[in-house]
Amino acid sequence: DFMSALEEVKPLFGVAEEELESRLRGGIIHYSPNIDSILDQGRTYVNQVRTHAATPLVSVLLHGPSGSGKTALAAKMALDSEFPYIKLVSPDDMIGYSEMQKVQQLDKVFRDAYKSPMSIIVIDSIELLFDWVPVGPRFSNSVLVALKALLSKQPPKDRRLLIFATTTERSVLSQLDLLRRFNASIPVPNVQTQQELAHILRHTGSFSDRDQGRAIAEIESQTGSKEIGLGIKDILMGIGTAKQHEDVADQFAWFISDAIASSKVI
Amino acid sequence: DFMSALEEVKPLFGVAEEELESRLRGGIIHYSPNIDSILDQGRTYVNQVRTHAATPLVSVLLHGPSGSGKTALAAKMALDSEFPYIKLVSPDDMIGYSEMQKVQQLDKVFRDAYKSPMSIIVIDSIELLFDWVPVGPRFSNSVLVALKALLSKQPPKDRRLLIFATTTERSVLSQLDLLRRFNASIPVPNVQTQQELAHILRHTGSFSDRDQGRAIAEIESQTGSKEIGLGIKDILMGIGTAKQHEDVADQFAWFISDAIASSKVI
Amino acid sequence: DFMSALEEVKPLFGVAEEELESRLRGGIIHYSPNIDSILDQGRTYVNQVRTHAATPLVSVLLHGPSGSGKTALAAKMALDSEFPYIKLVSPDDMIGYSEMQKVQQLDKVFRDAYKSPMSIIVIDSIELLFDWVPVGPRFSNSVLVALKALLSKQPPKDRRLLIFATTTERSVLSQLDLLRRFNASIPVPNVQTQQELAHILRHTGSFSDRDQGRAIAEIESQTGSKEIGLGIKDILMGIGTAKQHEDVADQFAWFISDAIASSKVI
Amino acid sequence: DFMSALEEVKPLFGVAEEELESRLRGGIIHYSPNIDSILDQGRTYVNQVRTHAATPLVSVLLHGPSGSGKTALAAKMALDSEFPYIKLVSPDDMIGYSEMQKVQQLDKVFRDAYKSPMSIIVIDSIELLFDWVPVGPRFSNSVLVALKALLSKQPPKDRRLLIFATTTERSVLSQLDLLRRFNASIPVPNVQTQQELAHILRHTGSFSDRDQGRAIAEIESQTGSKEIGLGIKDILMGIGTAKQHEDVADQFAWFISDAIASSKVI
Amino acid sequence: DFMSALEEVKPLFGVAEEELESRLRGGIIHYSPNIDSILDQGRTYVNQVRTHAATPLVSVLLHGPSGSGKTALAAKMALDSEFPYIKLVSPDDMIGYSEMQKVQQLDKVFRDAYKSPMSIIVIDSIELLFDWVPVGPRFSNSVLVALKALLSKQPPKDRRLLIFATTTERSVLSQLDLLRRFNASIPVPNVQTQQELAHILRHTGSFSDRDQGRAIAEIESQTGSKEIGLGIKDILMGIGTAKQHEDVADQFAWFISDAIASSKVI
Amino acid sequence: DFMSALEEVKPLFGVAEEELESRLRGGIIHYSPNIDSILDQGRTYVNQVRTHAATPLVSVLLHGPSGSGKTALAAKMALDSEFPYIKLVSPDDMIGYSEMQKVQQLDKVFRDAYKSPMSIIVIDSIELLFDWVPVGPRFSNSVLVALKALLSKQPPKDRRLLIFATTTERSVLSQLDLLRRFNASIPVPNVQTQQELAHILRHTGSFSDRDQGRAIAEIESQTGSKEIGLGIKDILMGIGTAKQHEDVADQFAWFISDAIASSKVI
Ligand SMILES: Nc1ncnc2c1ncn2[C@@H]1O[C@H](COP(=O)(O)OP(=O)(O)OP(=O)(O)O)[C@@H](O)[C@H]1O
Ligand SMILES: Nc1ncnc2c1ncn2[C@@H]1O[C@H](COP(=O)(O)OP(=O)(O)OP(=O)(O)O)[C@@H](O)[C@H]1O
Ligand SMILES: Nc1ncnc2c1ncn2[C@@H]1O[C@H](COP(=O)(O)OP(=O)(O)OP(=O)(O)O)[C@@H](O)[C@H]1O
Ligand SMILES: Nc1ncnc2c1ncn2[C@@H]1O[C@H](COP(=O)(O)OP(=O)(O)OP(=O)(O)O)[C@@H](O)[C@H]1O
Ligand SMILES: Nc1ncnc2c1ncn2[C@@H]1O[C@H](COP(=O)(O)OP(=O)(O)OP(=O)(O)O)[C@@H](O)[C@H]1O
Ligand SMILES: Nc1ncnc2c1ncn2[C@@H]1O[C@H](COP(=O)(O)OP(=O)(O)OP(=O)(O)O)[C@@H](O)[C@H]1O
Ligand SMILES: [Mg+2]
Ligand SMILES: [Mg+2]
Ligand SMILES: [Mg+2]
Ligand SMILES: [Mg+2]
Ligand SMILES: [Mg+2]
Ligand SMILES: [Mg+2]
């Protein structure tokens, strides 16, 4: 029955844990109330799958700009669920796979999931999985079709599955008719305000209060705007580069302004 | 002769029954008189194949928006026919198949059908079967060509075949010259009115009368319209998500309004 | 010599006869003088091949809208010829064939034909044979090129060959430079007038005189036109569906009007 | 040396002779002085290769509308040359060949030619050889590239090669950069005047003088023009069809007018 | 631990050293202060990887016009780092590799790098690696997707990796969504001013002071501009060609003016 | 060392000599001072490779209209160099090669060249080598990418390589980003003036002085221009054809005028 089945698959858990934790090395900094709200939504879907037998398959898309923290947040949600089977599917584990091998690997992950009474599959950078390139555009049709079928496939009796996927390309997914196969979606925005940026700098402890103020003022003067609009990933990289220089604040402002400018160019 | 041949294949029946029933797990809620009319049309074609020897091949397309209930209704029609051979052809049973393997599998299903005096084949999400993707557009030409040939192929003497296919992409089928190979088609619409939605909420028993009224009023206020325009599948999912929250009505209204908005974006 | 060669291949005849007759199950209803004229043209080309040694290869294209009776008429012409070798080439006998296998099969049919002093090859739905799909457009170039070469290839000495091909896509054949390789073409039109439709209903004997009149009047009122414009194949299907209902005339009118409307949409 | 080499390959001659003669079954009717001029040009190039050591490779393209007599005239020129090696390369001998097999076959024909002191290669319907289809357009790039290289390849020392190619698609050859690789080209026009047509009818002897006059008058009345503009191939076919009917003149006029009309439609 | 791991891989170093030095045969001429600034930025990223554990993966793109010195400067930065593992990935080492073989080779290089505590991978002419051709455009999607995954893949625990890539096609990388996967980028400009050119001529010692002046004046007169706008690679080639002639200055001016003109044509 | 290495490879020389000489069968007619200037430039690059160790790799493109003499001139330059390794790479030696086989053959030729202290590789009709067809356009990306890499690859230590390539498609090479990989380019023009044409006719000795004057006058009258604008290859062919006729001058004028007209049509 359900409970003994649950016992059975427990050992599978450990494997994915390590992989998922590696995506969380930068931790989760609660730089805005929105972060809590995102994690809250994750918990709702986890509970729905746990308790509501009528919806044995729930799929959720985390979407947002490059480096905004999608992968880290999906990893956090999955790890917090304490489901007996959790698996990360990531393009960088499939380098050099043929289209057919990718499809088989995906199929295997889902088949394994169906063995556990409750499972979570995290599909990271889903657009890379089907080799999306905006020029052409090109993409692997067979991987895409497999993803569509897997997202629609009902789990066997007494099995429940929750899917978290991440993407920077929500509109692409819509064009490809993939978006409507998700039951829900959660936006993950950039760091937007100076206050949010200040929170992050304070949290990492690499800047004196004075340097922090100077850096933020300098960014505003270089970009001509109070808005930041950059992913937390770039901000953490900027802190790393800045620390190599004497004038940390100045270097940080230069790096961040450059990154903001680049992200606006096509 | 016909009758002894009919006996012979009976054992095949059981297999597909389970698969078809799994598509009916949400049941058929008679939320509108249209549902009865659709099932009625299904019965007409079943009877034509059963009784009118001059049309041994009849093919019917169920088409409508995403999640409107096409698969469940086709499954119901097939199960109610009590034909000796019933088979479901579904893209999620062909994940990782090459184009050639799909064609061979289709061919086999039809060959098996010709062994029974009367058969029904349900082809689910026919556009996915030939790997349709609107970007490009791309599709498997060999599967498409095979489907065209199979839809035109007369069954052998004393054999009769009824085909139900489902699709969200009627206009695509028309462009691809596939639509005209169906003898008839049945539209399956979304849940449209507040009355229909109320019927469903009442039927599932998850809402108090007050909550039901509040939820519908809230959806009208959020979408700015009395029209619902959402598939029954999303509505049943929304009920599941809403039940995780204290304020069921509010949560349901939020989920449904969001789904309506999403379905209008491209 | 010619006569002994003729004897030799006779046994080949029986095989194709059955296949061709299966395309004629609905018989040939002489609902208009045009039907006689079409069959007459067929006889002319049969005689030319039989008697005029200077044109040992003659190819004729039957073209017209979907379901207008092209295949049945080509089958009739071939069967009436009493040539020692008659062969039907049909896309539904080549499901799952690769392009190369199709070409080889075509080549074999022609080689076999060259063994008989006089042969007829019926190529059904020629556009499907080379996998034509209007989206793209896509088609099998190698099958197309093989067809072009086969349509130009002179039979060996003392061998004569007549080719009947059918298609709904005359303009496609023209674009693909295939049309001009046929020596002649015969249009096969839809059922056009109420008189023709009445002839068919009377012939099938499924309608009382009153029902027949009511049905035709009802179609005129629903389509707003005295013109029918539908293939005999759909009309025969409509009769089959109508017979499942009490009000045969009403049901028939509804089915036919719907089919006419569908055939005008793209 | 040259003379003994010439002896050596003589036996190869017989093979191609038969094939070339089969393209000449309808004979050469000298219906216009232009026919003599065309054959004259052929003789010039044959002589140039025979006598002018400085141009050991000469290639000539015969181009003109469908059925104008290109293949028959090229066959005639080749047969009249009495060169020790003559070879016909025709698409209908390569049905079902892969691109690579076509290239290898071409290469072999040229290698064989280099073994003879003087050779002629006739490449018939060169555009079909590289699978040209105007839709797309599509064609076999590898066959095209091989043809380009072969048309530029100098024969070995003391070897001379004359190439005759035929095509209906001169402008296609130009676009594909193939045309400029020919050293010369000869246009082969349609039958244009009533006088030319009368010459042909008289020559075939199938028409009484009165019928001939009536047929031509009728064509003028049906097409509304004194210009014929049809290939000799269609005219010979029309004579064959007309002979099946009592009123030969009327039937011929109908066939020819229809053919003229068809050839103007796209 | 980190230190013993560092020892282990040292022997790998020698191999790449030779290859990298061959890209530096023309040396680094400090013809402008910008050269020093570029090398300085390289050192910053080397230090960040060496000291800042929180950013174990840093990727830097050197971009600029053809022949501006990108490869030489990346080689210099890598050699100066003294990291235990340094590897050059260059398209000219992968001539004749299939797409799959390129991906496997890339994957291997990264796997080898992960064995060393600190590594540098130089990816030269990254656009050639994925077979970029502006006509079409065409490119190897599988190599591109592999590069994206490798640029995002976190090194294993206690491993750090610095990537230098070079390209002339920054905007292409942006279109292909590859650019944003680099953490930083360094522009490498052409030789721009007459002063810079003079510095180079003086440094190579091939020109007398008078010749140098005359050459520069002549270039200005031929191009009609004081701006040079040519890569150092072309300038060094021009010196080589000029030395074959008596009037070195004149010949040099002619070569350089021609090269400038060519580089402006499309 | 350099000198003993030089001895070692000498035997390779003979092979290519024959092939190169076959491209020179029509000799080099010095019909204009430009011919000398072209050969002079060739000598400069030969000397640069011989003497200037700093530029061990020099690549030169000869470009011009069809038949202008590019291949003959490149062959001449290579043969005159007396380098120990000289190799001609020509599309007509690679008929029927797959893309991969072409790349491997190219790679082999370069590897062999690196074995000799000083080498010349002549790449004839480089656009044909990568299967360029202007319709599409189509081309072999893998051969193109290999050529790019080979043109950029530095020879090993103490090895020097000079590359001469010919093309009619300079602008194509530019679009494909191949042109800028050549260090220098030499234009090879058509025969342009009547004086140049007269020089050629006189040199071949096939025309009396009177015939020569008449021929040139006739060409001017037929083309309506004093400009010739035709490659020397066509002119030599025209002389060959004209010699078959009594009126050599008239025939020559007709051939040349026709060729000029054809070369202006697309
Ligand atoms: N509140 C937060 N949300 C998300 N990530 C955070 C947060 N605080 C810190 N981080 C760290 O920031 C980094 C976010 O990077 P991550 O790879 O998750 O972004 P991403 O949006 O998936 O990037 P990409 O678009 O490249 O896939 C991680 O290292 C994570 O540990
Ligand atoms: N009247 C009804 N008609 C159809 N389905 C109903 C009805 N009432 C309840 N259901 C339930 O609603 C769900 C409809 O989902 P189904 O998969 O059939 O929709 P669909 O239109 O095929 O979706 P998709 O477009 O994704 O293929 C099923 O679970 C079914 O049991
Ligand atoms: N006069 C007629 N001409 C042709 N078919 C007729 C006629 N009378 C009755 N029939 C019947 O009508 C049907 C015509 O169908 P048929 O498959 O030949 O049409 P088609 O034009 O080939 O269709 P499609 O376009 O789908 O290939 C056959 O069953 C045939 O027996
Ligand atoms: N003067 C003539 N010139 C050419 N063919 C003639 C002539 N007189 C009679 N014929 C006959 O006419 C026919 C011409 O057909 P042929 O196949 O040569 O035409 P074609 O131009 O090659 O056709 P296609 O465009 O289909 O390749 C042959 O049967 C030939 O014997
Ligand atoms: N300051 C300098 N910066 C870079 N290269 C220099 C400098 N001074 C001299 N050189 C020499 O100039 C040449 C630059 O060529 P290099 O191949 O690095 O250019 P590139 O930009 O990579 O060219 P490409 O665009 O073709 O890849 C090298 O030989 C290098 O040794
Ligand atoms: N001055 C000259 N320059 C070049 N070729 C000459 C000259 N004088 C005579 N010739 C002869 O003219 C012919 C030129 O043909 P060649 O094949 O070299 O031209 P090409 O430009 O390479 O042609 P293509 O564009 O077809 O490749 C050769 O036979 C050559 O011997
Ligand atoms: Mg991510
Ligand atoms: Mg469905
Ligand atoms: Mg048919
Ligand atoms: Mg022909
Ligand atoms: Mg470089
Ligand atoms: Mg050449």
Side-chain angles (χ1 to χ4, degrees), chain D residues 57 68 83 100 122 134 145 186 194 204 207 223 227 256 266:
Chain D
L57 175 69
S68 65
F83 273 25
M100 209 32 85
V122 179
V145 164
I186 304 177
Q194 294 182 339
T204 57
F207 285 62
T223 61
E227 209 180 294
I256 295 298
I266 307 170

Side-chain angles (χ1 to χ4, degrees), chain B residues 53-75:
Chain B
T55 51
L57 176 69
V58 176
S59 53
V60 182
L61 181 70
L62 288 92
H63 58 91
S66 183
S68 66
K70 301 169 295 296
T71 303
L73 289 165

Side-chain angles (χ1 to χ4, degrees), chain A residues 26-29 31 35 66-73 168 232-233 236:
Chain A
I28 299 288
I29 308 175
Y31 64 81
I35 300 298
S66 184
S68 65
K70 301 169 294 296
T71 303
L73 289 165
T168 51
I232 181 148
K233 209 164 148 185
L236 298 178

Side-chain angles (χ1 to χ4, degrees), chain F residues 8-53:
Chain F
E8 215 167 289
V9 292
K10 263 232 158 113
L12 279 173
F13 185 82
V15 183
E17 203 171 38
E18 205 175 308
E19 274 199 60
L20 285 164
E21 276 170 359
S22 89
R23 317 283 155 146
L24 268 170
R25 269 191 215 152
I28 298 289
I29 308 173
H30 291 252
Y31 64 81
S32 129
N34 193 28
I35 301 298
D36 303 280
S37 142
I38 288 170
L39 292 171
D40 223 61
Q41 288 177 62
R43 265 186 300 273
T44 301
Y45 297 114
V46 167
N47 285 337
Q48 179 173 359
V49 170
R50 201 192 315 270
T51 62
H52 188 68

